[in-house]
Amino acid sequence: MQVRAHDFQPRDLVAGDVVLDFVNTVTARDTEPIDWLDDYAALLSWSVLADLPPDAVARLASEAVAHPRRAAHALAGAKVLREALWELLRHDQAEDAVARLTESWRSATTAAVLTGSAGRLEPTARVENSGLAYPEHFVALRAVRLLETLPSVRLRVCGGRHCGWLFLDTSKAGRRRWCDMATCGNAEKTRRHRSVLRP
Ligand SMILES: [Zn+2]
């Protein structure tokens, strides 16, 4: 898979769920996939947009500078999780992917604490316990929660060319086709318009 530096923007997180947004850090899965996480700093830029706590991200930024090899290892771990999630979301019984998610989830759970209020608690990743694996742990915990309840009829792959992004279709009619109407939806419209004009 090609790896390319990317300047993450809010428009890169349009899936309706942070777990799918993380899977979408590989774009163009329908053609020639490009991995936008070229280094640990890129993972942190994404984490900011994914609303991970800013103080945790700042802490990880300095830790990554101090321990570049550990940061590279943590990035590799996050990508293993990401690809496992992609397989799981695209195929029903991907045993190997389940095993990889289990591994991430287990280490996330070991490092997590229960937060919330009495009656409604959930395991929450803590940067103090997870260290550089914090983004991976965050996604792993959220992924298990999503997969417990994911209505598969609402999981879509964008129809745009060179996109392949996953998203949750939360529209009333359930007919959303594009990750983002402003990008893929428009590109398709333009393409169709052009082919109509061409004799
Ligand atoms: Zn798209």
Side-chain angles (χ1 to χ4, degrees):
M1 193 186 304
Q2 221 189 110
V3 182
R4 197 184 293 166
H6 179 72
D7 180 18
F8 280 102
Q9 301 291 327
R11 63 166 181 267
D12 297 324
L13 288 83
V14 292
D17 187 282
V18 73
V19 174
L20 305 183
D21 283 326
F22 186 59
V23 174
N24 292 346
T25 58
V26 171
T27 194
R29 286 193 192 263
D30 60 323
T31 46
E32 286 169 48
I34 299 166
D35 184 350
W36 279 343
L37 297 178
D38 63 325
D39 60 11
Y40 193 82
L43 177 62
L44 291 184
S45 307
W46 178 86
S47 299
V48 170
L49 292 169
D51 277 338
L52 272 72
D55 53 335
V57 174
R59 181 181 170 143
L60 293 176
S62 40
E63 206 169 323
V65 171
H67 306 285
R69 280 171 79 176
R70 270 193 250 161
H73 182 75
L75 176 66
K79 289 187 185 196
V80 169
L81 170 65
R82 181 186 63 190
E83 297 316 297
L85 289 171
W86 164 251
E87 280 173 45
L88 274 171
L89 290 160
R90 299 302 300 137
H91 312 285
D92 277 342
Q93 296 291 336
E95 266 178 48
D96 184 49
V98 174
R100 278 178 282 152
L101 172 59
T102 304
E103 213 168 289
S104 277
W105 171 78
R106 192 173 287 145
S107 78
T109 306
T110 305
V113 293
L114 290 171
T115 60
S117 53
R120 190 173 169 80
L121 292 169
E122 59 188 19
T124 304
R126 287 289 295 270
V127 71
E128 294 84 351
N129 304 344
S130 297
L132 290 161
Y134 178 71
E136 179 194 341
H137 287 175
F138 178 90
V139 172
L141 293 172
R142 294 286 291 264
V144 170
R145 215 188 308 163
L146 174 74
L147 289 164
E148 277 171 351
T149 55
L150 180 68
S152 57
V153 289
R154 288 292 183 159
L155 178 69
R156 305 257 186 279
V157 182
C158 176
R161 282 183 173 189
H162 310 300
C163 182
W165 276 7
L166 296 173
F167 63 88
L168 284 184
D169 182 359
T170 51
S171 67
K172 229 178 189 178
R175 290 198 200 119
R176 182 175 154 194
R177 291 177 59 198
W178 317 109
C179 65
D180 190 349
M181 194 58 214
T183 52
C184 285
N186 257 335
E188 177 67 13
K189 254 198 293 179
T190 312
R191 200 174 64 82
R192 260 194 251 152
H193 188 64
R194 281 209 193 109
S195 62
V196 169
L197 291 179
R198 213 171 288 140

